[in-house]
């Protein structure tokens, strides 16, 4: 893991990093105890690791809970090169959305392919983060959200990596069989965000995805509104502090 | 409104009252500003105004938000006399539950009949509460919950009374046409609590009830588990303070 840039503003240090081909960013309070809980953030399809909504949530968690927050660009997103397959899938998605056609088939195929690459990338990133003395192996870890693509990656990642002890997912993604299979293998407490009027997702399929999650504790927060995202009053901090504690005060 | 008993414990004053045939209770902080937000609490079917879960939530809202909280016994419940119809409906409900039969038909008929009586009782209670100098007509008012029967009464009450500016409902009730009609007339912000595995309620019908609510802002919190009620971490305070403010600090 190589740090390539560092800036501090409003009490939060933001450090860009690379790990092999993967580009990422780490937010942390400018001062605070080491080994604070670590939250992994996913971004939506077509977006990137510093998308404004994601960065605002990360800074909020760093300042109010003392958390360290990490985000990486998904394959073919942000600062990472795009393959011919990326360009083709993006063009098909744009075309379907412009024509008002269902984005399901291409979205499912592309999402599954990205998740397959992204899960080992996230796990290697987590290895490297835990090697940093200020994080370490004993900091509790959560997957802290990400609608759409962030969920298509987050569900198989949470199912695969036992270091993740709580997770936030969003309903805004096309549901396909491999995603349902992974959801059944998730056993940690889950907060599931659903936009009730998502124009790109079948509501019953999203409810079915929530239903499939194997956890004994899972909560769905459904809000009116479309694909754009949850209302500002939806704060991930109460769920995360309940399961991770805060910096210096374990759950 | 006649106060019949008063006790103070843990910083909360609890006052029993009667208003005509209706028996009720009022919780308020032992000290705090007048005209604090007022929360009306409904109890579940077969329970009463001081059911432990309800009383604990009321005391929590009084101590953490400075709210005044009122609850009244539904017709045929708590300290109120039971009619022959009450006894018959209760016997039928007990029998259906013991036999594992659907409680829908009797529950819908009895619930609709109780709601018809309870809505004007609540509105008269609210008139009398607003005549108290410590509450007054300018205290913001919310319907603060109540699963099952508390929702069957709370939805038509909230639809009928413009003084109620935010409401919490629960999904744990049989859905019938008059309830859906009333839900469509609700326009204030709503928090809707759903027990995902409620053994007495059809999940799709409960989701349909949430869908029918006419409000522009509505949120559903769905949690794993049966008819018994939401997990302890579900705190009504964030929703209520967002819409009512707290005592001395308007929203």
């Amino acid at each position: 893991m190589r740090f390539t840039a560092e800036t501090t503003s409003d009490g939060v240090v933001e450090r860009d990093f690379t790990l092999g081909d993967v580009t990422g960013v780490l937010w942390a309070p400018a001062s605070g105890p080491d080994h604070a809980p670590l939250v992994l953030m996913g971004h939506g399809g077509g977006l990137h690791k510093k998308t404004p909504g994601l960065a605002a949530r990360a800074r909020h968690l760093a300042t109010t809970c003392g958390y360290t927050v990490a985000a990486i660009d998904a394959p073919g997103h942000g600062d990472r090169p795009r393959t011919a397959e990326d360009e083709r899938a993006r063009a098909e998605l744009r075309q379907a959305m412009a024509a008002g056609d269902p984005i399901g088939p291409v979205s499912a195929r592309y999402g599954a392919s990205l998740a397959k690459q992204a899960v080992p990338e996230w796990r290697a990133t987590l290895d490297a983060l835990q090697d940093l003395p200020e994080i370490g192996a004993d900091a509790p870890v959560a997957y802290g959200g990400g609608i759409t693509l962030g969920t298509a990656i987050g569900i198989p990642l949470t199912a695969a990596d036992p270091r993740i002890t709580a997770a936030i997912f969003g309903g805004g993604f096309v549901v396909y069989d491999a995603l349902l299979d992974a959801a059944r293998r998730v056993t940690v407490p889950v907060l599931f965000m659903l936009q009730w009027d998502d124009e790109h997702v079948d509501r019953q399929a999203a409810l079915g995805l929530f239903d499939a999650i194997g956890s004994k504790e899972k909560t769905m927060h459904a809000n009116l509104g479309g694909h754009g995202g949850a209302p500002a009053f939806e704060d991930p901090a109460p769920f995360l502090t309940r399961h991770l504690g805060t910096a210096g005060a374990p759950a």
Side-chain angles (χ1 to χ4, degrees), chain A:
Chain A
M1 177 165 284
R2 207 163 56 85
F3 287 100
T4 57
E6 175 172 332
T7 57
T8 302
S9 64
D10 300 324
V12 177
V13 184
E14 178 179 311
R15 289 189 287 173
D16 295 349
F17 66 81
T18 58
L19 182 73
D21 297 337
V22 176
T23 47
V25 57
L26 198 60
W27 291 275
S31 66
D34 281 352
H35 307 175
L38 172 64
V39 177
L40 314 178
M41 290 274 198
H43 62 74
L47 303 175
H48 60 82
K49 64 182 177 304
K50 290 190 190 176
T51 292
L54 190 163
R57 276 197 305 284
R59 289 176 169 277
H60 168 69
L61 292 173
T63 52
T64 62
C65 309
Y67 290 170
T68 308
V69 181
I72 61 177
D73 288 318
H77 285 70
D79 296 324
R80 303 181 62 182
R82 297 188 197 171
T83 63
E85 191 206 337
D86 292 321
E87 299 290 0
R88 196 166 47 240
R90 280 173 179 246
E92 282 177 41
L93 281 169
R94 265 196 308 272
Q95 207 166 20
M97 286 171 95
D101 290 342
I103 62 167
V106 53
S107 188
R109 195 172 63 241
Y110 187 45
S113 139
L114 293 183
K116 208 167 165 181
Q117 298 171 66
V119 168
E121 289 175 356
W122 259 124
R123 300 192 71 183
T125 301
L126 184 49
D127 292 343
L129 290 170
Q130 291 191 322
D131 283 343
L132 297 175
E134 65 271 34
I135 295 181
D138 54 350
V141 181
Y143 189 76
I147 52 162
T148 73
L149 181 59
T151 286
I153 292 170
I155 289 179
L157 172 64
T158 302
D161 200 311
R163 293 173 289 185
I164 297 174
T165 57
I168 304 177
F169 304 130
F173 201 77
V174 174
V175 177
Y176 46 90
D177 285 348
L179 195 58
L180 283 168
D181 286 345
R184 288 185 191 101
R185 294 195 306 273
V186 169
T187 57
V188 298
V190 165
L191 173 60
F192 187 91
M193 305 299 307
L194 179 66
Q195 288 295 98
W196 196 247
D197 310 295
D198 195 317
E199 59 276 28
H200 295 306
V201 179
D202 177 71
R203 188 190 295 159
Q204 287 304 327
L207 293 170
L209 180 57
F210 173 70
D211 199 42
I213 293 167
S215 312
K216 284 208 189 75
E217 183 188 325
K218 55 182 177 182
T219 300
M220 175 169 57
H221 286 191
N223 285 286
L224 281 207
H227 194 70
F233 62 74
E234 283 289 358
D235 180 356
F239 172 81
L240 292 172
T241 55
R242 198 161 72 242
H243 297 292
L244 305 185
T246 55

PDB file of all heavy atoms in Angstrom, chain A residues 200-233:
ATOM      1  N   HIS A 200     -35.371   1.936 -11.322  1.00  0.00           N
ATOM      2  CA  HIS A 200     -34.553   0.944 -12.034  1.00  0.00           C
ATOM      3  C   HIS A 200     -34.588  -0.437 -11.384  1.00  0.00           C
ATOM      4  O   HIS A 200     -33.916  -1.352 -11.849  1.00  0.00           O
ATOM      5  CB  HIS A 200     -33.092   1.413 -12.109  1.00  0.00           C
ATOM      6  CG  HIS A 200     -32.929   2.653 -12.929  1.00  0.00           C
ATOM      7  ND1 HIS A 200     -33.398   2.754 -14.214  1.00  0.00           N
ATOM      8  CD2 HIS A 200     -32.382   3.861 -12.637  1.00  0.00           C
ATOM      9  CE1 HIS A 200     -33.142   3.954 -14.688  1.00  0.00           C
ATOM     10  NE2 HIS A 200     -32.528   4.651 -13.754  1.00  0.00           N
ATOM     11  N   VAL A 201     -35.324  -0.572 -10.274  1.00  0.00           N
ATOM     12  CA  VAL A 201     -35.285  -1.831  -9.546  1.00  0.00           C
ATOM     13  C   VAL A 201     -36.701  -2.289  -9.239  1.00  0.00           C
ATOM     14  O   VAL A 201     -37.551  -1.489  -8.841  1.00  0.00           O
ATOM     15  CB  VAL A 201     -34.499  -1.656  -8.222  1.00  0.00           C
ATOM     16  CG1 VAL A 201     -34.474  -2.958  -7.441  1.00  0.00           C
ATOM     17  CG2 VAL A 201     -33.074  -1.204  -8.511  1.00  0.00           C
ATOM     18  N   ASP A 202     -36.951  -3.557  -9.433  1.00  0.00           N
ATOM     19  CA  ASP A 202     -38.243  -4.120  -9.074  1.00  0.00           C
ATOM     20  C   ASP A 202     -38.337  -4.223  -7.556  1.00  0.00           C
ATOM     21  O   ASP A 202     -37.488  -4.829  -6.901  1.00  0.00           O
ATOM     22  CB  ASP A 202     -38.377  -5.508  -9.712  1.00  0.00           C
ATOM     23  CG  ASP A 202     -39.685  -6.167  -9.318  1.00  0.00           C
ATOM     24  OD1 ASP A 202     -40.734  -5.713  -9.793  1.00  0.00           O
ATOM     25  OD2 ASP A 202     -39.641  -7.108  -8.501  1.00  0.00           O
ATOM     26  N   ARG A 203     -39.391  -3.602  -6.986  1.00  0.00           N
ATOM     27  CA  ARG A 203     -39.503  -3.528  -5.520  1.00  0.00           C
ATOM     28  C   ARG A 203     -39.585  -4.916  -4.888  1.00  0.00           C
ATOM     29  O   ARG A 203     -38.947  -5.189  -3.872  1.00  0.00           O
ATOM     30  CB  ARG A 203     -40.735  -2.707  -5.135  1.00  0.00           C
ATOM     31  CG  ARG A 203     -40.811  -2.432  -3.645  1.00  0.00           C
ATOM     32  CD  ARG A 203     -42.163  -1.831  -3.289  1.00  0.00           C
ATOM     33  NE  ARG A 203     -42.348  -0.519  -3.890  1.00  0.00           N
ATOM     34  CZ  ARG A 203     -43.543   0.050  -4.087  1.00  0.00           C
ATOM     35  NH1 ARG A 203     -44.643  -0.598  -3.739  1.00  0.00           N
ATOM     36  NH2 ARG A 203     -43.624   1.247  -4.620  1.00  0.00           N
ATOM     37  N   GLN A 204     -40.362  -5.805  -5.509  1.00  0.00           N
ATOM     38  CA  GLN A 204     -40.496  -7.154  -4.932  1.00  0.00           C
ATOM     39  C   GLN A 204     -39.157  -7.893  -4.959  1.00  0.00           C
ATOM     40  O   GLN A 204     -38.841  -8.644  -4.038  1.00  0.00           O
ATOM     41  CB  GLN A 204     -41.568  -7.958  -5.678  1.00  0.00           C
ATOM     42  CG  GLN A 204     -43.002  -7.502  -5.375  1.00  0.00           C
ATOM     43  CD  GLN A 204     -43.364  -7.525  -3.886  1.00  0.00           C
ATOM     44  OE1 GLN A 204     -42.883  -8.364  -3.131  1.00  0.00           O
ATOM     45  NE2 GLN A 204     -44.187  -6.592  -3.456  1.00  0.00           N
ATOM     46  N   ALA A 205     -38.368  -7.665  -6.007  1.00  0.00           N
ATOM     47  CA  ALA A 205     -37.053  -8.326  -6.071  1.00  0.00           C
ATOM     48  C   ALA A 205     -36.150  -7.785  -4.965  1.00  0.00           C
ATOM     49  O   ALA A 205     -35.406  -8.546  -4.324  1.00  0.00           O
ATOM     50  CB  ALA A 205     -36.419  -8.111  -7.438  1.00  0.00           C
ATOM     51  N   ALA A 206     -36.222  -6.478  -4.708  1.00  0.00           N
ATOM     52  CA  ALA A 206     -35.406  -5.898  -3.640  1.00  0.00           C
ATOM     53  C   ALA A 206     -35.856  -6.415  -2.279  1.00  0.00           C
ATOM     54  O   ALA A 206     -35.031  -6.736  -1.415  1.00  0.00           O
ATOM     55  CB  ALA A 206     -35.495  -4.377  -3.689  1.00  0.00           C
ATOM     56  N   LEU A 207     -37.174  -6.535  -2.069  1.00  0.00           N
ATOM     57  CA  LEU A 207     -37.687  -7.101  -0.812  1.00  0.00           C
ATOM     58  C   LEU A 207     -37.241  -8.554  -0.683  1.00  0.00           C
ATOM     59  O   LEU A 207     -36.915  -9.025   0.415  1.00  0.00           O
ATOM     60  CB  LEU A 207     -39.217  -6.999  -0.764  1.00  0.00           C
ATOM     61  CG  LEU A 207     -39.792  -5.574  -0.669  1.00  0.00           C
ATOM     62  CD1 LEU A 207     -41.316  -5.599  -0.886  1.00  0.00           C
ATOM     63  CD2 LEU A 207     -39.465  -4.926   0.674  1.00  0.00           C
ATOM     64  N   GLY A 208     -37.199  -9.262  -1.805  1.00  0.00           N
ATOM     65  CA  GLY A 208     -36.735 -10.651  -1.805  1.00  0.00           C
ATOM     66  C   GLY A 208     -35.260 -10.754  -1.437  1.00  0.00           C
ATOM     67  O   GLY A 208     -34.843 -11.709  -0.770  1.00  0.00           O
ATOM     68  N   LEU A 209     -34.477  -9.763  -1.862  1.00  0.00           N
ATOM     69  CA  LEU A 209     -33.048  -9.747  -1.513  1.00  0.00           C
ATOM     70  C   LEU A 209     -32.886  -9.542   0.000  1.00  0.00           C
ATOM     71  O   LEU A 209     -32.099 -10.241   0.651  1.00  0.00           O
ATOM     72  CB  LEU A 209     -32.335  -8.638  -2.289  1.00  0.00           C
ATOM     73  CG  LEU A 209     -30.833  -8.473  -2.064  1.00  0.00           C
ATOM     74  CD1 LEU A 209     -30.073  -9.764  -2.378  1.00  0.00           C
ATOM     75  CD2 LEU A 209     -30.279  -7.313  -2.889  1.00  0.00           C
ATOM     76  N   PHE A 210     -33.656  -8.604   0.569  1.00  0.00           N
ATOM     77  CA  PHE A 210     -33.630  -8.411   2.030  1.00  0.00           C
ATOM     78  C   PHE A 210     -34.034  -9.708   2.735  1.00  0.00           C
ATOM     79  O   PHE A 210     -33.398 -10.136   3.699  1.00  0.00           O
ATOM     80  CB  PHE A 210     -34.570  -7.265   2.428  1.00  0.00           C
ATOM     81  CG  PHE A 210     -34.743  -7.106   3.920  1.00  0.00           C
ATOM     82  CD1 PHE A 210     -33.704  -6.635   4.700  1.00  0.00           C
ATOM     83  CD2 PHE A 210     -35.944  -7.442   4.537  1.00  0.00           C
ATOM     84  CE1 PHE A 210     -33.853  -6.491   6.081  1.00  0.00           C
ATOM     85  CE2 PHE A 210     -36.097  -7.303   5.918  1.00  0.00           C
ATOM     86  CZ  PHE A 210     -35.056  -6.825   6.686  1.00  0.00           C
ATOM     87  N   ASP A 211     -35.097 -10.319   2.230  1.00  0.00           N
ATOM     88  CA  ASP A 211     -35.606 -11.550   2.839  1.00  0.00           C
ATOM     89  C   ASP A 211     -34.555 -12.651   2.807  1.00  0.00           C
ATOM     90  O   ASP A 211     -34.473 -13.466   3.732  1.00  0.00           O
ATOM     91  CB  ASP A 211     -36.868 -11.993   2.095  1.00  0.00           C
ATOM     92  CG  ASP A 211     -37.710 -12.958   2.903  1.00  0.00           C
ATOM     93  OD1 ASP A 211     -37.868 -12.728   4.118  1.00  0.00           O
ATOM     94  OD2 ASP A 211     -38.200 -13.942   2.333  1.00  0.00           O
ATOM     95  N   ALA A 212     -33.735 -12.688   1.748  1.00  0.00           N
ATOM     96  CA  ALA A 212     -32.767 -13.766   1.580  1.00  0.00           C
ATOM     97  C   ALA A 212     -31.576 -13.668   2.536  1.00  0.00           C
ATOM     98  O   ALA A 212     -30.935 -14.682   2.835  1.00  0.00           O
ATOM     99  CB  ALA A 212     -32.248 -13.786   0.143  1.00  0.00           C
ATOM    100  N   ILE A 213     -31.288 -12.467   3.022  1.00  0.00           N
ATOM    101  CA  ILE A 213     -30.101 -12.289   3.877  1.00  0.00           C
ATOM    102  C   ILE A 213     -30.181 -13.232   5.074  1.00  0.00           C
ATOM    103  O   ILE A 213     -31.198 -13.301   5.755  1.00  0.00           O
ATOM    104  CB  ILE A 213     -29.985 -10.816   4.334  1.00  0.00           C
ATOM    105  CG1 ILE A 213     -29.682  -9.925   3.126  1.00  0.00           C
ATOM    106  CG2 ILE A 213     -28.918 -10.646   5.404  1.00  0.00           C
ATOM    107  CD1 ILE A 213     -29.859  -8.437   3.395  1.00  0.00           C
ATOM    108  N   GLY A 214     -29.103 -13.975   5.333  1.00  0.00           N
ATOM    109  CA  GLY A 214     -29.136 -15.040   6.331  1.00  0.00           C
ATOM    110  C   GLY A 214     -28.996 -14.588   7.772  1.00  0.00           C
ATOM    111  O   GLY A 214     -29.041 -15.423   8.683  1.00  0.00           O
ATOM    112  N   SER A 215     -28.847 -13.311   8.015  1.00  0.00           N
ATOM    113  CA  SER A 215     -28.557 -12.796   9.361  1.00  0.00           C
ATOM    114  C   SER A 215     -29.737 -12.962  10.305  1.00  0.00           C
ATOM    115  O   SER A 215     -30.885 -12.882   9.881  1.00  0.00           O
ATOM    116  CB  SER A 215     -28.210 -11.308   9.277  1.00  0.00           C
ATOM    117  OG  SER A 215     -27.266 -11.076   8.264  1.00  0.00           O
ATOM    118  N   LYS A 216     -29.420 -13.135  11.598  1.00  0.00           N
ATOM    119  CA  LYS A 216     -30.464 -13.174  12.626  1.00  0.00           C
ATOM    120  C   LYS A 216     -30.943 -11.772  12.959  1.00  0.00           C
ATOM    121  O   LYS A 216     -32.057 -11.574  13.418  1.00  0.00           O
ATOM    122  CB  LYS A 216     -29.933 -13.846  13.899  1.00  0.00           C
ATOM    123  CG  LYS A 216     -29.832 -15.348  13.784  1.00  0.00           C
ATOM    124  CD  LYS A 216     -29.989 -16.004  15.172  1.00  0.00           C
ATOM    125  CE  LYS A 216     -29.667 -17.492  15.110  1.00  0.00           C
ATOM    126  NZ  LYS A 216     -28.207 -17.733  14.999  1.00  0.00           N
ATOM    127  N   GLU A 217     -30.069 -10.772  12.812  1.00  0.00           N
ATOM    128  CA  GLU A 217     -30.503  -9.384  13.004  1.00  0.00           C
ATOM    129  C   GLU A 217     -30.358  -8.631  11.696  1.00  0.00           C
ATOM    130  O   GLU A 217     -29.248  -8.448  11.192  1.00  0.00           O
ATOM    131  CB  GLU A 217     -29.677  -8.679  14.099  1.00  0.00           C
ATOM    132  CG  GLU A 217     -30.212  -7.254  14.315  1.00  0.00           C
ATOM    133  CD  GLU A 217     -29.363  -6.384  15.229  1.00  0.00           C
ATOM    134  OE1 GLU A 217     -28.776  -6.911  16.186  1.00  0.00           O
ATOM    135  OE2 GLU A 217     -29.293  -5.169  14.955  1.00  0.00           O
ATOM    136  N   LYS A 218     -31.484  -8.241  11.135  1.00  0.00           N
ATOM    137  CA  LYS A 218     -31.432  -7.398   9.934  1.00  0.00           C
ATOM    138  C   LYS A 218     -32.597  -6.429   9.997  1.00  0.00           C
ATOM    139  O   LYS A 218     -33.686  -6.767  10.454  1.00  0.00           O
ATOM    140  CB  LYS A 218     -31.456  -8.230   8.650  1.00  0.00           C
ATOM    141  CG  LYS A 218     -32.611  -9.191   8.510  1.00  0.00           C
ATOM    142  CD  LYS A 218     -32.515 -10.015   7.225  1.00  0.00           C
ATOM    143  CE  LYS A 218     -33.641 -11.039   7.141  1.00  0.00           C
ATOM    144  NZ  LYS A 218     -33.581 -11.895   5.944  1.00  0.00           N
ATOM    145  N   THR A 219     -32.342  -5.214   9.561  1.00  0.00           N
ATOM    146  CA  THR A 219     -33.336  -4.142   9.589  1.00  0.00           C
ATOM    147  C   THR A 219     -33.374  -3.523   8.206  1.00  0.00           C
ATOM    148  O   THR A 219     -32.325  -3.281   7.614  1.00  0.00           O
ATOM    149  CB  THR A 219     -32.926  -3.058  10.601  1.00  0.00           C
ATOM    150  OG1 THR A 219     -32.837  -3.626  11.901  1.00  0.00           O
ATOM    151  CG2 THR A 219     -33.943  -1.919  10.628  1.00  0.00           C
ATOM    152  N   MET A 220     -34.585  -3.265   7.699  1.00  0.00           N
ATOM    153  CA  MET A 220     -34.709  -2.527   6.449  1.00  0.00           C
ATOM    154  C   MET A 220     -35.249  -1.144   6.745  1.00  0.00           C
ATOM    155  O   MET A 220     -36.223  -0.995   7.479  1.00  0.00           O
ATOM    156  CB  MET A 220     -35.667  -3.259   5.499  1.00  0.00           C
ATOM    157  CG  MET A 220     -35.926  -2.467   4.218  1.00  0.00           C
ATOM    158  SD  MET A 220     -36.797  -3.450   2.966  1.00  0.00           S
ATOM    159  CE  MET A 220     -38.249  -3.927   3.884  1.00  0.00           C
ATOM    160  N   HIS A 221     -34.605  -0.120   6.191  1.00  0.00           N
ATOM    161  CA  HIS A 221     -35.161   1.230   6.214  1.00  0.00           C
ATOM    162  C   HIS A 221     -35.601   1.556   4.786  1.00  0.00           C
ATOM    163  O   HIS A 221     -34.764   1.696   3.892  1.00  0.00           O
ATOM    164  CB  HIS A 221     -34.121   2.253   6.662  1.00  0.00           C
ATOM    165  CG  HIS A 221     -33.831   2.207   8.133  1.00  0.00           C
ATOM    166  ND1 HIS A 221     -33.106   3.173   8.783  1.00  0.00           N
ATOM    167  CD2 HIS A 221     -34.191   1.316   9.084  1.00  0.00           C
ATOM    168  CE1 HIS A 221     -33.015   2.875  10.068  1.00  0.00           C
ATOM    169  NE2 HIS A 221     -33.660   1.753  10.271  1.00  0.00           N
ATOM    170  N   ALA A 222     -36.909   1.641   4.575  1.00  0.00           N
ATOM    171  CA  ALA A 222     -37.439   1.983   3.259  1.00  0.00           C
ATOM    172  C   ALA A 222     -37.931   3.422   3.287  1.00  0.00           C
ATOM    173  O   ALA A 222     -38.619   3.822   4.221  1.00  0.00           O
ATOM    174  CB  ALA A 222     -38.587   1.043   2.901  1.00  0.00           C
ATOM    175  N   ASN A 223     -37.548   4.195   2.281  1.00  0.00           N
ATOM    176  CA  ASN A 223     -37.977   5.589   2.190  1.00  0.00           C
ATOM    177  C   ASN A 223     -38.561   5.866   0.816  1.00  0.00           C
ATOM    178  O   ASN A 223     -38.123   5.304  -0.182  1.00  0.00           O
ATOM    179  CB  ASN A 223     -36.785   6.527   2.422  1.00  0.00           C
ATOM    180  CG  ASN A 223     -36.390   6.596   3.884  1.00  0.00           C
ATOM    181  OD1 ASN A 223     -37.073   7.214   4.692  1.00  0.00           O
ATOM    182  ND2 ASN A 223     -35.302   5.916   4.232  1.00  0.00           N
ATOM    183  N   LEU A 224     -39.539   6.766   0.795  1.00  0.00           N
ATOM    184  CA  LEU A 224     -40.077   7.217  -0.477  1.00  0.00           C
ATOM    185  C   LEU A 224     -38.970   7.822  -1.316  1.00  0.00           C
ATOM    186  O   LEU A 224     -38.063   8.450  -0.792  1.00  0.00           O
ATOM    187  CB  LEU A 224     -41.133   8.296  -0.251  1.00  0.00           C
ATOM    188  CG  LEU A 224     -42.506   7.845   0.169  1.00  0.00           C
ATOM    189  CD1 LEU A 224     -43.540   8.860  -0.290  1.00  0.00           C
ATOM    190  CD2 LEU A 224     -42.846   6.486  -0.401  1.00  0.00           C
ATOM    191  N   GLY A 225     -39.103   7.670  -2.621  1.00  0.00           N
ATOM    192  CA  GLY A 225     -38.168   8.346  -3.516  1.00  0.00           C
ATOM    193  C   GLY A 225     -37.502   7.361  -4.451  1.00  0.00           C
ATOM    194  O   GLY A 225     -37.579   6.143  -4.259  1.00  0.00           O
ATOM    195  N   GLY A 226     -36.831   7.912  -5.464  1.00  0.00           N
ATOM    196  CA  GLY A 226     -36.274   7.123  -6.550  1.00  0.00           C
ATOM    197  C   GLY A 226     -34.835   6.721  -6.320  1.00  0.00           C
ATOM    198  O   GLY A 226     -34.297   6.817  -5.210  1.00  0.00           O
ATOM    199  N   HIS A 227     -34.221   6.271  -7.413  1.00  0.00           N
ATOM    200  CA  HIS A 227     -32.888   5.678  -7.428  1.00  0.00           C
ATOM    201  C   HIS A 227     -31.814   6.588  -6.816  1.00  0.00           C
ATOM    202  O   HIS A 227     -30.762   6.106  -6.382  1.00  0.00           O
ATOM    203  CB  HIS A 227     -32.543   5.358  -8.887  1.00  0.00           C
ATOM    204  CG  HIS A 227     -31.368   4.465  -9.086  1.00  0.00           C
ATOM    205  ND1 HIS A 227     -31.400   3.137  -8.749  1.00  0.00           N
ATOM    206  CD2 HIS A 227     -30.134   4.709  -9.577  1.00  0.00           C
ATOM    207  CE1 HIS A 227     -30.221   2.599  -9.042  1.00  0.00           C
ATOM    208  NE2 HIS A 227     -29.438   3.523  -9.538  1.00  0.00           N
ATOM    209  N   GLY A 228     -32.092   7.881  -6.769  1.00  0.00           N
ATOM    210  CA  GLY A 228     -31.085   8.864  -6.351  1.00  0.00           C
ATOM    211  C   GLY A 228     -30.484   8.628  -4.979  1.00  0.00           C
ATOM    212  O   GLY A 228     -29.363   9.057  -4.713  1.00  0.00           O
ATOM    213  N   GLY A 229     -31.183   7.980  -4.089  1.00  0.00           N
ATOM    214  CA  GLY A 229     -30.565   7.690  -2.796  1.00  0.00           C
ATOM    215  C   GLY A 229     -31.433   8.078  -1.629  1.00  0.00           C
ATOM    216  O   GLY A 229     -32.440   8.768  -1.778  1.00  0.00           O
ATOM    217  N   ALA A 230     -31.023   7.615  -0.459  1.00  0.00           N
ATOM    218  CA  ALA A 230     -31.804   7.788   0.767  1.00  0.00           C
ATOM    219  C   ALA A 230     -31.809   9.254   1.193  1.00  0.00           C
ATOM    220  O   ALA A 230     -30.893  10.007   0.876  1.00  0.00           O
ATOM    221  CB  ALA A 230     -31.205   6.924   1.862  1.00  0.00           C
ATOM    222  N   PRO A 231     -32.865   9.671   1.921  1.00  0.00           N
ATOM    223  CA  PRO A 231     -32.918  11.055   2.401  1.00  0.00           C
ATOM    224  C   PRO A 231     -31.792  11.347   3.390  1.00  0.00           C
ATOM    225  O   PRO A 231     -31.231  10.443   4.012  1.00  0.00           O
ATOM    226  CB  PRO A 231     -34.287  11.140   3.084  1.00  0.00           C
ATOM    227  CG  PRO A 231     -34.738   9.737   3.299  1.00  0.00           C
ATOM    228  CD  PRO A 231     -34.056   8.891   2.284  1.00  0.00           C
ATOM    229  N   ALA A 232     -31.489  12.626   3.530  1.00  0.00           N
ATOM    230  CA  ALA A 232     -30.347  13.053   4.347  1.00  0.00           C
ATOM    231  C   ALA A 232     -30.488  12.633   5.808  1.00  0.00           C
ATOM    232  O   ALA A 232     -29.492  12.443   6.501  1.00  0.00           O
ATOM    233  CB  ALA A 232     -30.178  14.563   4.252  1.00  0.00           C
ATOM    234  N   PHE A 233     -31.742  12.464   6.294  1.00  0.00           N
ATOM    235  CA  PHE A 233     -31.889  12.115   7.712  1.00  0.00           C
ATOM    236  C   PHE A 233     -31.487  10.682   8.010  1.00  0.00           C
ATOM    237  O   PHE A 233     -31.399  10.294   9.172  1.00  0.00           O
ATOM    238  CB  PHE A 233     -33.315  12.401   8.215  1.00  0.00           C
ATOM    239  CG  PHE A 233     -34.412  11.606   7.537  1.00  0.00           C
ATOM    240  CD1 PHE A 233     -34.602  10.256   7.802  1.00  0.00           C
ATOM    241  CD2 PHE A 233     -35.265  12.214   6.626  1.00  0.00           C
ATOM    242  CE1 PHE A 233     -35.607   9.539   7.185  1.00  0.00           C
ATOM    243  CE2 PHE A 233     -36.284  11.498   6.004  1.00  0.00           C
ATOM    244  CZ  PHE A 233     -36.451  10.165   6.287  1.00  0.00           C
TER     245      PHE A 233
END
